[in-house]
């Protein structure tokens, strides 16, 4: 609740709306206590007095009634009516929607056709018809306005309920023996309630407008001041309620809080003071890369100065626990970290000497997929569900190369054959959901190969696959690397995989590389205590009986990294020296960031 208020307070327009509405509500509540003329006392001698006349600050109407008094009493009524109408329409409409959406089938059909019939009438006409049938009067206007808004709520909430009614947690509740009533109350309603509240808050203003509209329709011709002043009041009320309602909606949605729903920029934001000098050669040289997430007052240092190089045809493994910053490192290379909240704050990434950090978007775009391609963990999430895989591959080719449709399609089939997909002509016409996980990942690899890149960055490409398929994909990547001289940056959390594929390996912990070296050497004699513990976690086939030891404790949160070595709190050897100052990544070729490395054989 406090977070909600804080978020709401950040939205200046919502605060403005709340303030205006607050003033109006307070004034309106105090109306009975104010020294106002009776709004209903007529005095024909005083009719149509101009504003600022004696005793009538806003003038009088055609019956000589005091306009100020009528305005305030009227506002009181309008607010009450609008609020009541929204609550009534919201409750009835949401109830109908939840029942229709939850039970589905015939219940849904009957209810929704009824709602459709109501919706088929023009809005205001229906309200007028109801008022005409019930007779004039505020109460009847309220009923009319509430009634015409019921379908709006019913339709909205039904749609949301349908989406929820078949989710696993509802099935689980049903399996556990809960009745419909309890499921509706404890599983469905809490999930649709925020939507109902938000819809209500944004429609109250609208309802006041409608009620006012219905009352205004009885007016004849009058001097301007008798309708302008109430009109301004209605404008103020509706505007302030809508501003506040929008603010409430934004503050309630957890996705809006982190900026996840705002559209990310085309390339990661760069905010660095100095550019490190170019190092030696190398196809891809990551040099002192720092990437942070700025979420409100928090600062997550996801990547804290990573240096890594990749030679042509080389495969380098980047290994570390989940959350150690591997993906953010990989995405930073091509400026793919979402901004906001991501910012690259230091370092350089050079592709054959050209710095990619802060390169113009057009340049990055021409390189993405063409010279540096990515393979991600979940191919189902990266493939478009509604296009055939062959067409998606052809599209990837045509983005970078001006080739005919036929040539691109033929090349797509060839690519599918290259990644050892049997019967590629037929498979090219398949949709992603018709393929198995392993096949989809092969399509993902084919997509990465489409423009013959020099570098492939594979971010846990086999983590979602079972072990046999994983082995096939690894050997496929290995073959492709040898056939085409591809350089691969292979990200994983599995030392077994690194051992099969990688020439060199870098071990990452809390956003930094803690050890780097040739794979055989690191595997045979790990120097950093963390690497040693990680390797001890890998079971070995035929390795005999031994304890598989988990590492005690958890990796540190990257918004509050300890001083010194980030692993010290979990390390058995750590002493005071480990907990102060900066510990360098020492060594040449074989590097380790540790004051007390294990003895290297
Ligand atoms: P992994 O090594 O598992 O690939 P990531 O690189 O995805 O880890 O994440 C590294 C760190 O960055 C994590 O600790 C995570 O908390 C943080 N992080 C990633 N994305 C965001 C984000 N959008 N907002 C805030 N923090 C993030
Ligand atoms: Mg990751």
């Amino acid at each position: 609740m406090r977070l909600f208020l804080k978020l709401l307070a950040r939205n200046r327009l919502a605060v403005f709306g709340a303030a205006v509405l607050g003033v109006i509500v307070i004034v309106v509540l105090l109306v009975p206590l104010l020294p106002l003329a009776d709004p209903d006392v007529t005095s024909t001698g005083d009719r149509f007095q101009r504003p600022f006349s004696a005793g009538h600050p806003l003038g009088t109407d055609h019956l000589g009634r005091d306009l100020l008094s009528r305005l305030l009493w009227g506002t009181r009524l309008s607010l009450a009516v609008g609020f009541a109408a929204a609550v009534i329409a919201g409750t009835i409409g949401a109830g109908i929607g939840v029942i229709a959406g939850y039970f589905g089938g015939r219940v849904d059909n009957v209810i929704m056709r009824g709602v459709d019939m109501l919706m088929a009438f023009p809005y205001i006409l229906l309200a007028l018809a109801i008022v005409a049938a019930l007779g004039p009067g505020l109460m009847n206007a309220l009923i009319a306005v509430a009634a015409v808004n019921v379908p709006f709520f019913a339709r909205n909430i039904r749609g949301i309920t349908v989406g929820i009614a078949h989710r696993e947690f509802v099935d689980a509740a049903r399996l556990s023996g809960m009745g419909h009533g309890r499921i509706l109350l404890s599983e469905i309603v809490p999930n649709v309630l925020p939507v109902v509240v938000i819809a209500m808050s944004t429609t109250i203003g609208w309802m006041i407008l409608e009620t006012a509209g219905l009352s205004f329709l009885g007016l004849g011709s009058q001097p301007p001041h008798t309708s302008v002043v109430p009109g301004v009041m209605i404008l103020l009320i509706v505007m302030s309620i809508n501003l506040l309602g929008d603010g409430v909606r934004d503050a309630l949605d957890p996705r809006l809080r982190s900026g996840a729903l705002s559209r990310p920029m085309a390339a990661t934001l760069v905010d660095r003071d100095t550019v490190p000098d170019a190092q030696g050669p190398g196809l891809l040289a990551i040099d002192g890369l720092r990437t942070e997430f700025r979420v409100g007052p928090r600062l997550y240092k996801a990547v804290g100065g990573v240096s890594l190089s990749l030679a042509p045809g080389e495969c380098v493994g980047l290994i570390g626990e989940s959350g150690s910053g591997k993906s953010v490192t990989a995405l930073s290379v091509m400026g793919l970290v979402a901004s906001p909240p991501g910012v690259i704050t230091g370092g350089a990434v050079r592709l054959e000497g050209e710095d990619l950090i802060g390169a113009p978007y057009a340049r990055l775009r021409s390189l993405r997929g063409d010279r540096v391609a990515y393979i991600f963990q979940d191919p189902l999430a990266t493939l478009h569900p509604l296009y055939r895989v062959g067409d998606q591959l052809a599209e990837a080719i045509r983005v970078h190369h001006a080739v005919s449709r036929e040539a691109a399609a033929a090349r797509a089939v060839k690519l599918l054959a290259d990644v050892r997909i049997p019967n590629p002509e037929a498979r090219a016409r398949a949709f992603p959901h018709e393929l198995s996980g392993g096949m989809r990942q092969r399509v993902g690899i084919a997509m990465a190969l489409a423009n013959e890149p020099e570098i492939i960055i594979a971010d846990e490409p086999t983590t979602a696959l079972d072990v046999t398929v994983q082995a096939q994909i690894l050997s496929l990547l290995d073959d492709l690397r040898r056939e085409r001289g591809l350089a691969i940056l292979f990200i994983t959390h599995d030392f077994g995989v690194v051992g099969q594929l990688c020439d060199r390996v870098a071990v990452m912990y809390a956003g930094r590389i803690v050890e780097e070296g040739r794979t055989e050497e690191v595997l045979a004699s790990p120097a950093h205590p963390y690497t040693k513990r990680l390797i001890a976690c890998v079971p070995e086939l035929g390795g005999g009986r031994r304890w598989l030891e988990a590492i005690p404790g958890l990796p540190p949160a990257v918004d509050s990294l300890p001083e010194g070595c980030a692993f010290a709190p979990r390390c058995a050897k750590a002493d005071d020296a480990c907990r102060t100052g900066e510990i360098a990544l020492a060594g040449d070729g074989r590097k380790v960031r540790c004051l007390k490395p294990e003895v290297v054989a």
Side-chain angles (χ1 to χ4, degrees), residues 272-284:
R272 63 176 175 179
D273 311 329
T274 52
V275 183
D277 295 333
Q279 303 278 312
L283 179 58
L284 182 76

Side-chain angles (χ1 to χ4, degrees), residues 321-328 331 377 459-460 491 493:
E321 276 169 291
S322 170
S324 53
K326 308 181 297 292
S327 296
V328 176
L331 292 173
Q377 175 173 339
D459 191 351
E460 312 218 24
I491 296 173
H493 58 254

